[in-house]
């Protein structure tokens, strides 16, 4: 994980990338006792990490099954431990003195997860109300269904994403490099979704925090089919030129996090 952090620092320097602090403070979660700061990337075990930081801050007493089995409850509670609660002077000290970490995911896997969660499986969410009608109208020519759809197809969604300026992307599919200021902040640990259980546990062990909390296995919270099967199912139907545009959109994430592009 430290080697990945060093690679990111080197790559940012090589490419002379200096993204602005575009994500605000709400995506950063802090434990003063453990001197740890996390940028929680949406769709990368985000709810689970927020649960952990709540326990690190308040102890086992804050956890209830109702609170932590409901993602909205987690997100609401977690506002108590994000950087919005800190002054600018405190934040400067945290960035200087604390260990900073992030967990990342293959860009295409993360994008698909956002689509399935926010559109395909939850058509009554605020995302559906905010985006679906406009996407369906603008990309109606790419509707392959005989009847009127209630939410965008994956191809329509991808076309919307690649046509959206980077600065205007929703947090759930914004590039992690931008969302977490990868080339502005010095990260100490960069974990990967593909090794989530092992690497999250290693971090908690290094913090001597395993007596307080453990990182829940994926099977406890997720019921989705295997990632490889889903990736094949959705991406194989996209035109090659659209895949290339999508790769260019997320190119910085591919480079910084050392992921390969295999969907041509």
């Amino acid at each position: 994980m430290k080697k990945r952090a060093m690679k990111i620092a080197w790559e940012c320097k090589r490419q002379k990338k200096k993204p602005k602090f575009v994500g605000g403070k709400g995506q950063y979660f802090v434990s003063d006792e453990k001197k740890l700061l996390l940028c929680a990337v949406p769709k990368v075990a985000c709810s689970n990490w927020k649960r952990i930081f709540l326990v690190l801050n308040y102890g086992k007493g804050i956890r209830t099954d109702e609170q932590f089995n409901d993602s909205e409850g987690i997100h609401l509670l977690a506002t108590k431990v994000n950087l919005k609660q800190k002054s600018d002077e405190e934040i400067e000290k945290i960035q200087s003195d604390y260990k900073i970490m992030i967990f990342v995911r293959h860009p295409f896997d993360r994008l698909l997860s956002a689509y399935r969660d926010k559109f395909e499986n939850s058509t009554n969410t605020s995302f559906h109300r905010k985006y679906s009608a406009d996407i369906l109208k603008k990309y109606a020519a790419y509707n392959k269904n005989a009847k009127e759809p209630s939410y965008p197809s994956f191809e329509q969604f991808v076309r919307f994403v690649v046509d959206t300026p980077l600065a205007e992307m929703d947090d759930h599919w914004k590039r992690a490099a931008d969302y977490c200021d990868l080339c502005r902040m010095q990260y100490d640990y960069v974990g990967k979704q593909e090794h989530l259980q092992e690497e999250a546990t290693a971090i908690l062990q290094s913090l001597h925090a395993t007596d307080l909390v453990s990182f829940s296995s994926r099977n406890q919270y997720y019921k989705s089919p295997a990632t490889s099967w889903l990736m094949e199912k959705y991406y194989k139907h996209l035109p090659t030129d659209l895949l290339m545009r999508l790769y260019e959109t997320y190119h910085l994430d591919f480079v910084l996090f050392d992921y390969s592009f295999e969907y041509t």
Side-chain angles (χ1 to χ4, degrees):
M1 289 183 282
K2 291 184 178 181
K3 287 183 178 179
R4 294 184 197 130
M6 292 173 64
K7 180 185 185 301
I8 288 173
W10 178 85
E11 193 65 45
C12 286
K13 184 176 181 180
R14 186 179 73 86
Q15 296 196 24
K16 298 181 180 180
K17 296 288 185 180
K18 291 292 184 181
K20 295 180 180 179
F21 194 55
V22 296
K25 301 176 182 178
Q27 76 274 35
Y28 293 96
F29 298 87
V30 61
S31 168
D32 292 318
E33 181 179 346
K34 300 299 182 181
K35 292 188 176 295
L36 184 67
L37 180 69
L38 164 77
C39 183
V41 180
K43 311 311 302 175
V44 190
C46 185
S47 297
N48 213 345
W49 278 116
K50 290 178 181 180
R51 173 182 67 85
I52 286 173
F53 270 75
L54 281 165
V55 176
L56 290 178
N57 277 274
Y58 296 108
K60 294 180 180 179
I62 193 167
R63 181 171 182 173
T64 68
D65 290 340
E66 180 180 353
Q67 289 170 331
F68 290 103
N69 285 334
D70 172 55
S71 61
E72 290 187 7
I74 296 172
H75 297 318
L76 180 61
L77 282 171
T79 59
K80 298 175 179 290
V81 296
N82 66 23
L83 281 189
K84 288 184 177 180
Q85 312 306 318
K86 303 291 186 179
S87 67
D88 290 342
E89 292 76 16
E90 288 174 318
I91 291 174
E92 185 175 347
K93 181 174 177 59
I94 287 169
Q95 290 177 329
S96 172
D97 297 347
Y98 288 23
K99 296 292 185 182
I100 306 176
M101 73 174 191
I102 180 178
F103 269 74
V104 298
R105 185 175 185 175
H106 190 290
F108 284 4
D109 186 16
R110 178 172 168 249
L111 182 70
L112 176 57
S113 178
Y115 168 75
R116 297 185 73 244
D117 182 38
K118 302 304 180 184
F119 295 97
E120 187 175 73
N121 297 333
S122 302
T123 55
N124 291 321
T125 66
S126 59
F127 284 82
H128 175 67
R129 295 190 295 271
K130 181 178 181 179
Y131 294 111
S132 287
D134 289 342
I135 295 175
L136 287 168
K137 181 179 180 181
K138 185 173 182 179
Y139 301 98
Y142 302 98
N143 174 28
K144 296 181 173 63
N145 298 321
K147 61 180 182 179
E148 185 83 14
S150 60
Y151 61 88
S153 68
F154 186 57
E155 179 177 345
Q156 288 174 314
F157 172 68
V158 169
R159 290 186 181 279
F160 162 73
V161 169
V162 299
D163 286 343
T164 302
L166 293 175
E168 298 176 16
M169 281 194 179
D170 186 274
D171 289 346
H172 289 80
W173 49 87
K174 185 190 294 289
R175 296 188 312 187
D178 298 324
Y179 186 73
C180 289
D181 308 293
L182 262 294
C183 291
R184 191 188 69 87
M185 296 177 63
Q186 181 63 54
Y187 279 79
D188 298 284
Y189 302 112
V190 179
K192 286 194 171 185
Q193 173 91 357
E194 295 78 9
H195 311 287
L196 182 59
Q197 189 76 34
E198 174 188 352
E199 295 183 352
T201 299
I203 288 175
L204 291 175
Q205 288 174 341
S206 72
L207 296 171
H208 305 289
T210 51
D211 59 325
L212 277 176
V213 65
S214 61
F215 198 89
S216 302
S217 66
R218 178 177 174 83
N219 290 338
Q220 182 173 342
Y221 288 92
Y222 303 93
K223 297 180 175 62
S224 298
T227 293
S228 58
W229 181 85
L230 285 173
M231 295 280 276
E232 172 71 14
K233 176 185 176 182
Y234 285 82
Y235 281 96
K236 71 178 181 180
H237 297 296
L238 296 183
T240 300
D241 64 325
L242 181 58
L243 271 173
M244 292 304 299
R245 289 185 64 198
L246 189 63
Y247 172 68
E248 288 301 320
T249 298
Y250 290 95
H251 179 258
L252 186 58
D253 278 3
F254 274 95
V255 171
L256 293 184
F257 308 138
D258 199 24
Y259 283 113
S260 59
F261 176 49
E262 303 168 345
Y263 301 95
T264 56

